Amino acid sequence: MHPLRRTAAPRNALRRTAAPLLLGLIVLTGPVACSTGPEPDPGPVPPRPASAPAPSLAPSRGPAADPTDTGWLQLMIPMDEGAVSLLDLAARKTADPALRSFAARLRTAHEDELTALRGLRQRMGLPDTDVHQGHEMPGMVTATDLERARAAEGDAFDRLLVTEIRDHLRQSAQVSRSETTAGRAAEAKERATALAAAHEDQLSELEGLPGVHG
């Protein structure tokens, strides 16, 4: 097997270079960064007649989720989902036994991670929609990346796999470290701490595979 060198595609290089700025924006602004602009002013509220009954209040859903916690969680889930889709391809496309074994273990770990993240999303009262669908974020395995992976064979697939998974692990650990200091919800920060540590360990394991170069 040829050494699994980092590919030099300009698009991937741009995504890695832009990572600190984009990740900081997501963590600090959360879903606000994906908003489409301010909502129109509904105008003055007409006074309620004195004889009219007071409106009933809907049951409280608890305090609103912090934008930083929300932004982190809504990024981590699609990042892990994209990585799992790529790791699914590795099970049948890579011929390197060490890389195939690593990819299988990483896929299992990411599935467990997704279960925990989705449960946290539900407890935080967030929708299960992907607010980053179609976005090219640092560390995100996109639909275009998956198309390239399906078309690649042999060493070309292995190099693509290593490059994309390396970026995914590195960027997801970075943004999770930011959540541990900028977030507010204790459960989200604990999950981010665990995720960052796991992805850093997985990145170290990837870099230690035979033939993999940083």
Side-chain angles (χ1 to χ4, degrees):
M1 173 179 170
H2 297 296
L4 303 177
R5 298 181 300 273
R6 182 195 298 271
T7 57
R11 182 179 59 84
N12 281 338
L14 177 61
R15 284 163 61 180
R16 286 192 293 272
T17 302
L21 176 61
L22 291 177
L23 290 172
L25 177 64
I26 292 168
V27 169
L28 292 176
T29 63
V32 175
C34 297
S35 66
T36 57
E39 296 184 359
D41 186 352
V45 178
R48 180 170 56 90
S51 58
S56 59
L57 298 177
S60 174
R61 297 182 60 185
D66 178 74
T68 299
D69 301 326
T70 298
W72 168 76
L73 186 57
Q74 290 182 327
L75 179 61
M76 287 301 101
I77 290 176
M79 284 184 76
D80 272 11
E81 289 173 341
V84 166
S85 296
L86 180 57
L87 293 166
D88 282 341
L89 294 176
R92 67 175 187 271
K93 290 183 73 76
T94 183
D96 180 79
L99 184 58
R100 183 170 60 250
S101 176
F102 169 78
R105 295 194 305 275
L106 187 62
R107 186 193 183 284
T108 299
H110 272 48
E111 287 285 12
D112 292 343
E113 200 169 82
L114 278 168
T115 298
L117 291 171
R118 288 165 179 156
L120 176 59
R121 179 178 61 186
Q122 183 177 18
R123 289 188 293 278
M124 289 174 62
L126 300 174
D128 62 358
T129 54
D130 181 1
V131 299
H132 295 292
Q133 186 172 8
H135 297 178
E136 289 221 359
M137 312 296 293
M140 182 91 72
V141 177
T142 65
T144 300
D145 295 327
L146 292 173
E147 288 176 7
R148 291 170 53 235
R150 293 186 186 102
E153 299 292 341
D155 290 338
F157 173 82
D158 290 352
R159 287 192 296 270
L160 185 152
L161 174 66
V162 168
T163 298
E164 295 296 337
I165 293 301
R166 176 191 282 122
D167 285 351
H168 162 70
L169 293 173
R170 181 176 293 151
Q171 303 296 353
S172 57
Q174 179 180 343
V175 75
S176 294
R177 287 295 178 198
S178 296
E179 160 65 15
T180 64
T181 57
R184 296 188 63 184
E187 186 178 4
K189 294 174 69 173
E190 289 172 4
R191 176 55 51 189
T193 299
L195 188 152
H199 285 204
E200 287 166 354
D201 289 345
Q202 292 156 357
L203 179 60
S204 295
E205 184 179 356
L206 173 63
E207 301 290 12
L209 292 179
V212 173
H213 296 277

